[in-house]
Amino acid sequence: MASNCLRLRCDLPPSAASARNHRSNSLPIKLNHPRLPATAIPSLRFKSAPFRPASSLPIVPKANSDPHAAGSDLAPLPASSRTFTAWDMASLWVGLVVGVPSYYLAGSLVDLGMAWWQGISTVFLANLVVLFPLILTGVPGTQYGIPFPVLARAAFGVRGAHVPTLLRALVGCGWYGIETWIGGEAIFLLLPSALKTSASALAVISWLGTSSLEFSCFIIFWLAQMGIVLRGMEGIRELEKYSAPILIFLSSALLCWAYVKAGGFGRMLATPSRLSSSEFWKLFFPSLTANISFWATLALNIPDFTRFARSQKDQILGQAGLPIFMGAFTFLGLAVTSATEVIFGRVISDPIQLLGQIGGLSTTVIAIFGISLATVTTNIAANVVAPANALVNLSPSVFTFQKGALLTAFLGIAFQPWRLLSSSESFVYTWLLGYSAIMGPIGGIILADYYLVKRMQLDVSSLYSESPDGAYYYQKGFNGAAIAALVVGVLPILPGFLHKLGILASTSPAFLAAYNNAWFVSFFISGVVYLILSSSERRLKGV
């Protein structure tokens, strides 16, 4: 279908990025999701949290018209409703990692000149870095049984929390559309050759920006996901739990096939780095940031999942395997891609196109099943839960989890993912690095607030109260310190972002460097500014 394998060109001018060929069958790379100094974080003493009564329904309590009632979808979960084991959490991450976008990560860096081990090491290190905010942000979810929108109230205020949750939701909607488009490409592969090569079916509709056939495959996959989405968190847990072994088996089978057919993994693993020392470091840092952006979204709303964990041990152990999972799967993508040069005489970096080349109806059906399962497990868990919960938080009287998930799916269409994937410029520079400048500040503020300002002590009843006397009401429901810190964290990134869009003809190299390292820069700036402003307010109040 319609998208070229997008290559990470973080240090090159826009003109150097490869344009997308509408007729090619390759896919984009998805370079999805800093850490506080260990000495700055209080020792983690996990105390039992006070819980307000919650619905007796397992996993997701029944919605209530009262925005802060204990029976709402965002209510704190009692211990009896927490069923996620360490295996459930690990299965969640296997389902998230094993997917088409992850397949390209290390290979794209090798194409830019890195040795294979440098590419995989960059991916591994990025996920090791992002593991810290993932675990740290997951702690209050498990400790108090609260989701991300409720945790955000502690820092931003009971009304101000709408700002970070809706920003996170918009990114999730965009990703939902992108992943669904990739799933549609798997359906496209199953179509008869005569139909796939038909000029009329593939004619681009000017106002839509894609062909009727490609759009139809996209909608079919969109509809197929709805059955799981509408089952809520329990359906998601079951999907991730049982799909993880299948995905591991299918991935291993593909790796074994490539090794046997090629008699090894080809030339790529034997090719040394083509970069000088200075060239490597110039490429390394933007690549690291882009790979951190891969999971920057989940690093924010991970409490949506860890609130279901039985204990802190379960959520920490379950997440600890992320760098290993990502390193292993990107190695698989790199190894299989290098083997295709020996097997077919050319490099095939798109796994969907590769599976179509292998041939055989049974092989194709199994391959499409695996790709579809991998895409669904990533898409639903990573891109539905946060927007759905954000909409419930916005208006609990209107939205339930299921209604929020349904609106998320419709917004995914409105994002027109085929346009987001039109070139590596629009995907990597505008999308990945652009949204990391928003995710970074929110993460820095929430972690600084929970660990350094609140000292891991939250008043759960006040999180669900709009009383002006509540601990998290601040000024009219908004914490000005958090909003100001968010703005200050984003501002240094704007010039570089506008330059990449072509709105600014030129800008300072310092701003370009800030943009290429957007998540790090915005995370630390916002965290520090929030601490300063919070300390000043506490001194003025004599606290």
Side-chain angles (χ1 to χ4, degrees):
M1 284 186 54
S3 55
N4 259 350
C5 175
L6 304 179
R7 297 306 184 200
L8 182 62
R9 308 287 297 202
C10 298
D11 62 331
L12 298 181
S15 60
S18 58
R20 173 193 184 229
N21 185 327
H22 187 77
R23 286 292 155 258
S24 68
N25 284 326
S26 45
L27 297 172
I29 52 172
K30 167 184 168 187
L31 305 175
N32 239 343
H33 331 351
R35 76 187 142 183
L36 291 172
T39 55
I41 301 173
S43 59
L44 303 183
R45 298 184 179 91
F46 304 119
K47 300 179 180 180
S48 58
F51 294 106
R52 299 179 67 190
S55 167
S56 59
L57 289 177
I59 304 302
V60 180
K62 188 177 180 180
N64 191 295
S65 59
D66 181 353
H68 303 288
S72 75
D73 283 334
L74 302 182
L77 293 179
S80 59
S81 293
R82 302 184 189 187
T83 57
F84 278 31
T85 63
W87 168 247
D88 288 324
M89 291 299 300
S91 298
L92 170 71
W93 279 112
V94 170
L96 289 168
V97 166
V98 179
V100 172
S102 305
Y103 185 94
Y104 294 113
L105 294 182
S108 66
L109 298 181
V110 169
D111 282 350
L112 291 176
M114 288 188 183
W116 71 270
W117 62 269
Q118 291 173 328
I120 292 174
S121 296
T122 302
V123 173
F124 178 86
L125 181 59
N127 284 272
L128 188 62
V129 171
V130 84
L131 181 63
F132 284 85
L134 274 166
I135 290 177
L136 292 174
T137 310
V139 165
T142 302
Q143 184 173 358
Y144 294 99
I146 56 176
F148 168 62
V150 176
L151 174 62
R153 295 172 188 171
F156 286 86
V158 292
R159 295 177 180 173
H162 295 316
V163 175
T165 56
L166 290 177
L167 288 173
R168 167 64 182 95
L170 285 174
V171 175
C173 292
W175 267 124
Y176 186 88
I178 289 171
E179 291 279 3
T180 303
W181 181 259
I182 291 172
E185 291 192 289
I187 295 176
F188 183 85
L189 180 61
L190 280 175
L191 299 177
S193 298
L195 184 59
K196 288 188 289 186
T197 56
S198 169
S200 58
L202 292 177
V204 176
I205 302 173
S206 58
W207 63 269
L208 184 61
T210 187
S211 70
S212 58
L213 181 59
E214 292 169 319
F215 186 74
S216 297
C217 293
F218 168 70
I219 293 299
I220 290 171
F221 194 83
W222 184 92
L223 290 171
Q225 294 177 103
M226 286 297 98
I228 299 170
V229 168
L230 296 179
R231 288 188 61 196
M233 283 297 296
E234 180 62 21
I236 293 173
R237 183 179 80 105
E238 292 298 313
L239 172 70
E240 301 292 347
K241 181 178 181 179
Y242 294 110
S243 64
I246 298 174
L247 292 174
I248 292 173
F249 172 77
L250 292 176
S251 299
S252 300
L254 180 62
L255 183 66
C256 291
W257 170 86
Y259 184 87
V260 171
K261 290 289 289 184
F265 291 130
R267 301 173 186 171
M268 191 176 290
L269 300 189
T271 302
S273 173
R274 303 190 304 273
L275 304 173
S276 66
S277 178
S278 60
E279 290 172 334
F280 171 80
W281 292 113
K282 188 177 180 180
L283 175 64
F284 171 77
F285 288 106
S287 301
L288 185 70
T289 303
N291 276 272
I292 288 173
S293 299
F294 198 78
W295 297 125
T297 49
L298 263 293
L300 286 185
N301 74 290
I302 194 65
D304 292 338
F305 300 97
T306 60
R307 66 190 293 230
F308 300 106
R310 298 183 307 178
S311 66
Q312 296 291 353
K313 180 180 179 181
D314 282 313
Q315 77 97 353
I316 292 172
L317 289 179
Q319 296 201 79
L322 172 62
I324 298 174
F325 299 153
M326 283 296 293
F329 191 70
T330 52
F331 172 79
L332 180 147
L334 177 61
V336 173
T337 297
S338 66
T340 59
E341 185 175 13
V342 176
I343 299 171
F344 299 105
R346 59 190 175 94
V347 173
I348 303 177
S349 58
D350 178 358
I352 295 179
Q353 187 182 24
L354 169 61
L355 293 168
Q357 289 289 317
I358 293 176
L361 179 61
S362 59
T363 301
T364 301
V365 171
I366 293 173
I368 297 309
F369 169 75
I371 290 173
S372 300
L373 184 63
T375 302
V376 169
T377 54
T378 300
N379 204 18
I380 293 178
N383 305 318
V384 171
V385 176
N389 282 341
L391 291 169
V392 173
N393 186 51
L394 180 66
S395 181
S397 60
V398 174
F399 291 103
T400 61
F401 180 92
Q402 285 79 4
K403 289 180 179 178
L406 189 60
L407 180 57
T408 298
F410 279 110
L411 289 175
I413 300 175
F415 264 81
Q416 301 183 70
W418 50 92
R419 297 188 189 274
L420 285 177
L421 303 177
S422 62
S423 71
S424 54
E425 274 301 305
S426 63
F427 188 76
V428 175
Y429 285 119
T430 307
W431 179 243
L432 285 177
L433 289 180
Y435 80 66
S436 72
I438 300 174
M439 301 296 101
I442 297 172
I445 292 166
I446 288 177
L447 288 180
D449 178 75
Y450 183 69
Y451 287 98
L452 303 178
V453 176
K454 303 295 193 304
R455 299 286 175 176
M456 300 177 65
Q457 299 300 314
L458 299 179
D459 181 349
V460 176
S461 61
S462 292
L463 288 172
Y464 292 85
S465 171
E466 284 195 339
S467 169
D469 298 324
Y472 310 117
Y473 192 77
Y474 300 107
Q475 292 85 34
K476 298 183 179 182
F478 293 83
N479 184 1
I483 301 298
L486 175 61
V487 172
V488 171
V490 172
L491 284 177
I493 313 301
L494 275 179
F497 178 68
L498 295 176
H499 176 67
K500 294 299 181 184
L501 288 178
I503 297 175
L504 286 181
S506 62
T507 188
S508 166
F511 286 128
L512 290 178
Y515 183 72
N516 284 336
N517 296 276
W519 192 79
F520 285 104
V521 173
S522 59
F523 180 98
F524 285 109
I525 288 178
S526 290
V528 170
V529 169
Y530 179 75
L531 286 175
I532 293 172
L533 294 178
S534 297
S535 298
S536 299
E537 288 184 358
R538 291 166 68 88
R539 283 197 298 270
L540 289 174
K541 294 178 180 179
V543 178

